[in-house]
């Protein structure tokens, strides 16, 4: 079992509308900079928002396919509003590789299938106030977790020795120290660190992501309509 | 007949039932939806999934099997029953291997729809990742036991509607599984693609081959309306197979 065991009893539920203790801080940072929290997003004054430091968002893709990041980009022109509201820190979107400051929200794509994923995830927990598991891979393992029913040895044997298309006359197994060490199975994020919110979907739709991120920024309870929560 | 009418209450609403009706049947006619998975109109009640659990005079009962009785007080749409039902659905998710993201039943799946309706984001229990065998021997249909929730709808439909008796349970506890009555798989039985048993599966377990992903996202059964909406709107009890 890698890392610290999260509280399996209660992965936070986005629709429950319950706010983790630290959400208040985010609300303060975001709302004081932008507007009263009831004010619609269109009303945000860019000048006022620029005057004070913006809350920071970090994102990462671990054992995922970048589909959830693509879905985030799918918010179309709303991304202009989003960059007025927030600043991206460590993220593939701006290619910042290490945390340079504390972040309000960490968006996690993908579960953990290597020790590098676990390390990444622990860094996120260390540097972010709120962690959101975005997408099925982060919340349950997703497609990579299809190997969870098979032992690791069987999996590697099939991939590098017995598979019908394998050509490996020296019978080599990948063992370069540069390659992250593969875990015994794929772990959803909340089995490795504490996760504050879960957003299922493959990927969660752009509307779902935008609604969730803005609600977190404004410290509002998040009540997503029926159509925005899907497991596929 | 009218003097035999049974009167009782569900969540303090007066409901009438005919003798022999179950609580669920009476509720359906009164446009009150009780969540369910193993119950299917036209099949004998079974009481396998327990999602339809209600409190009858304070005691938990499965409403699909419990007969309506005069004066009983039934609790259905309360928070504690919601929590119990969500727990059951979450346990069904962790007991199997449910990959909604590539399942051809997704959008039309009653288990998934129940998760949506009950507001499940991800089961609070750790997933068990059992190893289950696929039976793809038949040319037109397959059994994917990863997705099976042991509701016995296919077994009952095969016996009661197809008159074939070709499916049954084998094993106990975590080893329990749906199996055809041939050790050589489904192909050695009378199973046919038009069987009521195939249509009766609420999940993607007993499925027709070569018809997956036929309905675009956005037009599937539960894309826009929660499961149970038609009962709540007073429509005739739907056949979930259609």
């Amino acid at each position: 079992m890698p890392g610290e065991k999260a509280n399996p009893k209660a992965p936070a539920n986005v629709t429950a509308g319950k706010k983790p203790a630290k959400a208040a801080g985010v609300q303060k940072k975001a709302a004081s900079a932008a507007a009263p929290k009831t004010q619609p997003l269109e009303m945000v004054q860019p000048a006022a928002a620029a005057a004070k430091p913006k809350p920071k968002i970090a994102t990462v893709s671990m054992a995922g396919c970048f589909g959830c990041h693509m879905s985030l980009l799918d918010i179309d022109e709303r991304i202009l509003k989003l960059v007025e509201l927030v600043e991206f820190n460590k993220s593939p979107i701006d290619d910042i590789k290490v945390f340079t400051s504390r972040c309000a929200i960490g968006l996690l794509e993908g579960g953990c299938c290597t020790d590098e994923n676990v390390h990444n995830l622990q860094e996120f927990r260390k540097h972010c106030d709120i962690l959101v598991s975005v997408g099925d891979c982060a919340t349950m393992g997703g497609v990579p977790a299809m190997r969870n029913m098979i032992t690791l040895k069987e999996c590697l044997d099939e991939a590098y020795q017995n598979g019908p298309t394998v050509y490996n006359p020296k019978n080599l197994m990948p063992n370069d120290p540069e390659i992250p060490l593969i875990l015994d199975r794929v772990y959803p994020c909340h089995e490795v660190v504490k996760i504050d919110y879960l957003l299922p979907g493959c990927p969660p739709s752009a509307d779902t992501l935008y609604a969730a991120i803005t609600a977190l920024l404004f410290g509002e309870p998040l009540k997503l309509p029926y159509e925005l929560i899907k497991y596929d | 007949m009218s003097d035999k009418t049974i009167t009782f209450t569900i969540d303090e609403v007066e409901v009438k039932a005919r003798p022999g009706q179950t609580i669920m049947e009476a509720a359906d006619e009164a446009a009150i939806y009780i969540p369910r998975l193993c119950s299917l109109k036209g099949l004998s009640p079974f009481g396998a999934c327990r999602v339809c659990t209600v409190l009858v005079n304070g005691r938990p009962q499965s409403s699909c099997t419990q007969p309506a009785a005069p004066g009983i007080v039934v609790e259905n749409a309360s928070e504690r029953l919601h929590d119990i039902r969500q727990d059951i659905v979450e346990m069904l998710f962790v007991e199997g291997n449910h990959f909604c993201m590539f399942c051809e039943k997704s959008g039309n799946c009653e288990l998934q729809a129940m998760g949506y309706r009950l507001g499940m984001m991800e089961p609070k229990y750790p997933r068990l990742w059992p190893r289950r065998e696929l039976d793809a021997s038949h040319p037109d249909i397959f059994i994917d036991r990863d997705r099976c929730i042991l509701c016995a709808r296919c077994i009952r439909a095969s016996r009661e509607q197809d008159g074939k008796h070709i499916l049954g349970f084998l094993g106990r506890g975590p080893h329990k599984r749906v199996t055809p009555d041939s050790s050589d798989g489904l192909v050695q039985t009378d199973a046919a693609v038009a069987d009521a048993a195939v249509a009766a599966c609420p999940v993607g377990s007993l499925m027709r081959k070569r018809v997956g992903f036929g309905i675009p996202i956005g037009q599937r059964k539960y894309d826009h309306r929660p499961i149970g909406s038609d009962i709540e709107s007073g429509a005739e009890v739907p056949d979930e197979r259609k």
Side-chain angles (χ1 to χ4, degrees):
Chain A
M1 195 63 211
E4 147 207 6
K5 181 87 169 92
N7 175 9
K9 183 79 182 118
N13 184 328
V14 158
T15 49
K18 55 180 178 179
K19 222 164 39 177
K22 283 173 181 162
V26 174
Q27 179 193 337
K28 210 170 128 202
K29 279 181 218 161
S32 65
K37 64 175 183 178
T38 48
Q39 200 167 348
L41 211 53
E42 284 74 13
M43 303 295 288
V44 173
Q45 299 295 320
K52 287 178 186 174
K54 299 177 195 170
K56 295 185 177 60
I57 289 189
T59 74
V60 66
S61 180
M62 296 177 290
C65 69
F66 271 94
C68 296
H69 276 82
M70 294 305 290
S71 191
L72 181 61
L73 297 180
D74 249 357
I75 61 176
D76 298 331
E77 75 278 6
R78 285 174 291 185
I79 202 159
L80 298 174
K81 289 173 192 155
L82 192 63
V83 292
E84 281 171 13
L85 285 170
V86 300
E87 188 181 299
F88 279 88
N89 200 271
K90 177 178 160 70
S91 165
I93 290 175
D94 54 15
D95 212 21
I96 297 180
K97 309 281 192 203
V98 288
F99 280 101
T100 53
S101 74
R102 182 146 192 91
C103 292
I105 301 174
L107 302 178
L108 308 167
E109 174 189 334
C112 290
C113 73
T114 66
D115 65 339
E116 188 198 24
N117 297 149
V118 173
H119 173 75
N120 233 330
L121 187 51
Q122 287 168 339
E123 283 292 297
F124 264 72
R125 183 69 277 176
K126 218 181 287 172
H127 290 97
C128 298
D129 293 341
I130 296 176
L131 283 189
V132 187
S133 278
V134 176
D136 287 337
C137 296
T139 59
M140 56 81 69
V143 172
M146 286 183 76
R147 76 168 165 96
N148 286 4
M149 293 89 88
I150 304 163
T151 62
L152 182 59
K153 178 160 190 342
E154 273 180 279
C155 225
L156 290 172
D157 286 350
E158 181 71 12
Y160 297 104
Q161 290 181 346
N162 306 331
T165 58
V166 172
Y167 177 73
N168 185 3
K170 288 186 180 166
N171 234 4
L172 295 175
M173 280 282 186
N175 63 352
D176 192 305
E178 288 287 310
I179 301 172
L181 198 63
I182 196 165
L183 302 178
D184 62 332
R185 66 172 174 89
V186 178
Y187 293 84
C189 293
H190 64 263
E191 291 189 10
V192 180
V193 300
K194 183 183 186 304
I195 299 295
D196 300 297
Y197 293 102
L198 298 157
L199 277 181
C202 190
S205 73
D207 290 340
T208 309
L209 287 170
Y210 191 71
I213 293 169
T214 49
L216 281 175
L217 285 172
F218 291 120
E220 286 168 353
L222 182 52
K223 198 78 186 157
L224 290 173
Y226 176 81
E227 272 125 323
L228 289 191
I229 289 297
K230 292 280 178 283
Y231 307 150
D232 63 352
Chain B
M1 187 69 192
S2 61
D3 57 327
K4 285 187 185 165
T5 299
I6 296 165
T7 307
F8 65 102
T9 64
I10 299 178
D11 294 333
E12 294 169 12
V13 175
E14 197 175 280
V15 174
K16 293 195 186 314
R18 296 184 296 280
Q21 272 190 316
T22 62
I23 294 173
M24 182 185 284
E25 286 165 339
D28 285 349
E29 287 180 16
I32 296 171
Y33 179 63
I34 302 174
R36 83 258 340 232
L37 286 174
C38 76
S39 167
L40 182 65
K41 194 184 179 189
L43 296 182
S44 58
F46 198 65
C49 72
R50 319 311 282 186
V51 172
C52 72
T53 296
V54 292
L55 295 182
V56 180
N57 294 340
R59 293 176 55 137
Q61 302 280 2
S62 62
S63 61
C64 69
T65 54
Q66 184 70 16
I72 55 172
V73 177
V74 177
E75 181 180 320
N76 172 41
S78 63
E79 197 175 325
R80 56 177 168 173
L81 280 170
H82 175 280
D83 291 350
I84 289 170
R85 288 168 185 157
Q86 188 174 336
D87 283 354
I88 293 169
V89 169
E90 289 181 358
M91 284 189 263
L92 289 173
F93 267 95
V94 302
E95 271 174 12
N97 299 313
H98 297 279
F99 293 94
C100 293
M101 69 291 294
F102 58 79
C103 178
E104 54 267 62
K105 191 79 171 192
S106 186
N108 300 307
C109 169
E110 290 176 44
L111 177 68
Q112 185 191 57
M114 201 56 74
Y116 294 158
R117 185 181 168 107
L118 298 173
M120 183 193 92
M121 290 289 160
E122 165 66 13
K124 63 178 83 63
Y125 310 107
R127 294 193 182 238
L128 302 180
W129 305 116
R131 193 161 184 171
R132 295 184 180 168
E133 295 301 319
L134 183 84
D135 182 345
S137 61
H138 194 282
D140 297 320
I141 49 182
F142 63 91
I143 304 178
D144 185 341
R145 297 189 181 89
D146 277 344
R147 305 167 181 166
C148 183
I149 57 169
L150 304 176
C151 68
R153 269 161 56 160
C154 59
I155 297 172
R156 282 176 284 157
S158 178
R159 289 176 188 173
E160 298 167 16
Q161 295 177 330
D162 298 330
K164 288 189 177 177
H165 297 256
I166 52 172
L167 294 163
F169 281 132
L170 193 66
R172 293 173 69 83
H175 308 292
K176 187 171 178 176
R177 60 202 182 273
V178 168
T179 190
D181 71 347
S182 162
S183 54
D184 295 328
L186 212 48
V187 69
Q188 292 299 330
T189 68
D190 293 342
V193 70
D195 281 358
V198 180
C201 183
V203 291
S205 186
L206 186 55
M207 294 285 283
R208 289 172 63 191
K209 289 183 178 177
R210 296 180 295 277
V211 292
F213 311 109
I215 309 169
I217 291 173
Q219 295 172 29
R220 300 171 304 181
K221 199 166 166 198
Y222 304 114
D223 276 342
H224 301 291
R225 298 182 72 217
I227 188 171
S229 305
D230 22 18
I231 289 178
E232 286 167 321
S233 64
E236 201 184 328
V237 183
D239 189 335
E240 293 290 353
R241 285 171 286 198
K242 287 173 185 148

